[in-house]
Amino acid sequence: MRKADIASLIHERHGLPKREAAAMVELILDEIKDTLSRGEEVKIAGFGNFNVRKKRERKGRNPKTGEEIGITPRRVVTFRASPVFKDSVLDSIHSN
Amino acid sequence: MTKAELVDSIARKVDGLTRAQVDVLVGTMFASIKDALAVGDKVEIRGFGSFRLRDRAAREGRNPKTGELVTVPAKRVPFFKAGKELKEVVDA
């Protein structure tokens, strides 16, 4: 499923014109993105939480050459599915 | 930010839709992602990220109350991988 499929579904289910449905999907995603970029978490009840985690600087190795390199501190996004979400996939068919 | 705050923020930005209508649309979007994974599909949103299922192997665990050894069965869990653009704006 892709972004266009989500927009189609919103269009079909709620009668919102396709172009507006696509714009709405975009708005929602941008809002989440902007919030996370400020370092703030996004909590969606019944779905899950998006968090920003700070990673410390650590040493890594170039797996090809074995050379030791520094990995700079960084911020990464993590997602924790809610219990409802987790339960809903337990009996799913595995096709990906 | 909670879902309610997300809805508030979006409702302020769009014309012609009530807050209640925006709430329904936001709900449908998250439900559609959840439903896709529940039937084994994956969701790929360019610039944002992808949702798919990950297999978790069975493992030995303990009932924390009784200390009894139990087998936690293998299962599938929802997994999100941030897309390139999301990674970049968060780490900027």
Side-chain angles (χ1 to χ4, degrees):
Chain A
M1 186 167 85
R2 294 180 172 275
K3 208 153 59 178
D5 302 312
I6 300 174
S8 294
L9 203 112
I10 288 176
H11 161 70
E12 285 157 26
R13 199 176 290 179
H14 304 297
L16 196 69
K18 266 196 180 150
R19 203 148 48 92
E20 286 176 40
M24 177 54 66
V25 171
E26 212 64 59
L27 259 174
I28 297 168
L29 294 170
D30 283 348
E31 196 67 37
I32 297 172
K33 216 187 293 185
D34 289 350
T35 306
L36 293 171
S37 74
R38 294 195 302 268
E40 196 187 321
E41 66 181 349
V42 177
K43 303 197 281 189
I44 309 295
F47 185 78
N49 298 352
F50 296 92
N51 288 289
V52 178
R53 298 192 58 172
K54 293 183 186 75
K55 298 276 197 179
R56 282 175 308 159
E57 180 174 6
R58 62 188 171 90
K59 276 180 192 151
R61 247 175 229 287
N62 180 330
K64 257 187 201 142
T65 63
E67 187 194 356
E68 204 167 85
I69 44 174
I71 297 172
T72 54
R74 62 192 64 206
R75 300 197 301 173
V76 297
V77 176
T78 59
F79 174 73
R80 272 182 77 108
S82 78
V84 184
F85 193 173
K86 282 184 182 167
D87 282 348
S88 76
V89 306
L90 277 184
D91 303 315
S92 68
I93 312 126
H94 201 47
S95 67
N96 57 350
Chain B
M1 172 179 270
T2 62
K3 184 181 165 211
E5 290 163 348
L6 176 70
V7 170
D8 285 339
S9 178
I10 291 166
R12 278 195 299 269
K13 288 176 185 170
V14 292
D15 293 323
L17 290 176
T18 64
R19 189 200 176 277
Q21 286 170 324
V22 172
D23 187 48
V24 169
L25 300 174
V26 170
T28 293
M29 167 150 153
F30 289 114
S32 71
I33 296 173
K34 209 160 66 176
D35 292 348
L37 265 69
V39 297
D41 200 0
K42 63 184 174 223
V43 181
E44 289 180 323
I45 302 168
R46 201 174 306 156
F48 187 78
S50 60
F51 295 88
R52 63 188 70 217
L53 296 179
R54 277 249 169 124
D55 287 314
R56 292 269 181 272
R59 61 186 171 82
E60 294 294 311
R62 254 176 216 287
N63 180 328
K65 253 187 203 147
T66 64
E68 189 191 357
L69 203 61
V70 289
T71 304
V72 182
K75 59 185 166 192
R76 294 189 181 110
V77 295
F79 179 79
F80 173 73
K81 186 177 177 214
K84 189 164 179 277
E85 201 190 312
L86 179 59
K87 277 186 186 169
E88 284 171 359
V89 297
V90 165
D91 195 36

